[in-house]
Amino acid sequence: MMVTALYITIAMVTLAVLLNVYRLIKGPDAPDRVLALDTLYINAIALIILLGITLGTRMYLEAALLIAVMGFVGTVAMAKYLKRGSVIE
Amino acid sequence: MNPYAEYAICLLLLIGGAFTLIGAIGLARLPDFFTRLHGPTKATTVGVGAIVISSVIYFSTLGQGIGIEEILITAFLIMTAPISANFLAKSAMHLKVKTTENTRGQPWDQ
């Protein structure tokens, strides 16, 4: 039963990633693309955790933590660049 | 494995996947940038939170102990999601992103 639920969840998160990529390509303005990237790294964290559950190993959780930190820093840097025109003044 | 733990893992996995998908559908379908800002909030708080809690339950039933990394990921995402949303909204206000007629209030007019 758990394997079925796991596969259904992986399919749902993959569909979510595809919808994010659609918004990333289509997005009319630059903040839309940055927002799509923000959602994309959050969904990547969910996919990595699901991969760890599938393989039965905890080795990938540190990669997920690193993606969380670096994704936040990247989002803030891109938003700051859109607002000010430079990252560090 | 304990059947109740398995039920809990299945329920949390399905809830997490459903909320992640709902957030992505909102990001793809909503008409306006300021309404699209809802998307990552749903995907972060409930989606990744439920998936991470199911991972905690699964690895604790395998006898590998309760991990600190999952709790760290959830706490970090819940802390940083409003900050990044606030930064993005401020940059969109600075760029004067177009809104639909149904969006009430023009914050950059004040």
Side-chain angles (χ1 to χ4, degrees):
Chain A
M1 190 175 75
M2 207 189 89
V3 178
T4 312
L6 204 54
Y7 285 165
I8 293 172
T9 312
I10 289 174
M12 281 197 274
V13 179
T14 310
L15 190 57
V17 166
L18 289 179
L19 285 171
N20 289 331
V21 171
Y22 164 74
R23 177 55 66 193
L24 178 64
I25 292 171
K26 189 179 174 240
D29 296 309
D32 289 300
R33 296 197 165 95
V34 180
L35 184 66
L37 276 180
D38 190 74
T39 319
L40 201 58
Y41 87 82
I42 292 168
N43 290 343
I45 292 170
L47 269 184
I48 285 175
I49 293 170
L50 289 172
L51 177 71
I53 295 176
T54 309
L55 296 179
T57 177
R58 303 189 51 179
M59 208 164 50
Y60 299 102
L61 289 172
E62 279 124 17
L65 190 57
L66 208 58
I67 287 177
V69 177
M70 289 300 158
F72 171 66
V73 172
T75 303
V76 168
M78 278 189 284
K80 181 95 176 171
Y81 175 72
L82 287 180
K83 189 167 181 292
R84 290 285 186 183
S86 67
V87 179
I88 299 172
E89 298 171 353
Chain B
M1 189 187 289
N2 190 3
Y4 292 110
E6 195 168 349
Y7 294 152
I9 290 170
C10 291
L11 192 65
L12 284 172
L13 278 179
L14 291 179
I15 288 173
F19 266 88
T20 310
L21 188 55
I22 287 168
I25 288 172
L27 184 70
R29 288 295 307 276
L30 286 174
D32 194 356
F33 175 76
F34 295 99
T35 53
R36 271 181 225 134
L37 268 178
H38 287 290
T41 319
K42 267 93 182 155
T44 303
T45 49
V46 188
V48 179
I51 290 174
V52 160
I53 290 170
S54 77
S55 168
V56 170
I57 295 173
Y58 178 68
F59 286 117
S60 61
T61 54
L62 282 186
Q64 298 186 8
I66 295 175
I68 199 69
E69 289 100 347
E70 291 104 334
I71 316 292
L72 269 178
I73 292 170
T74 315
F76 192 81
L77 281 180
I78 290 176
M79 270 196 306
T80 57
I83 301 172
S84 58
N86 190 7
F87 268 95
L88 284 175
K90 273 188 174 180
S91 69
M93 279 167 58
H94 178 73
L95 290 176
K96 291 183 173 56
V97 170
K98 278 181 188 160
T99 60
T100 57
E101 295 91 9
N102 291 326
T103 304
R104 286 182 294 176
Q106 303 287 328
W108 47 83
D109 284 343
Q110 297 173 3

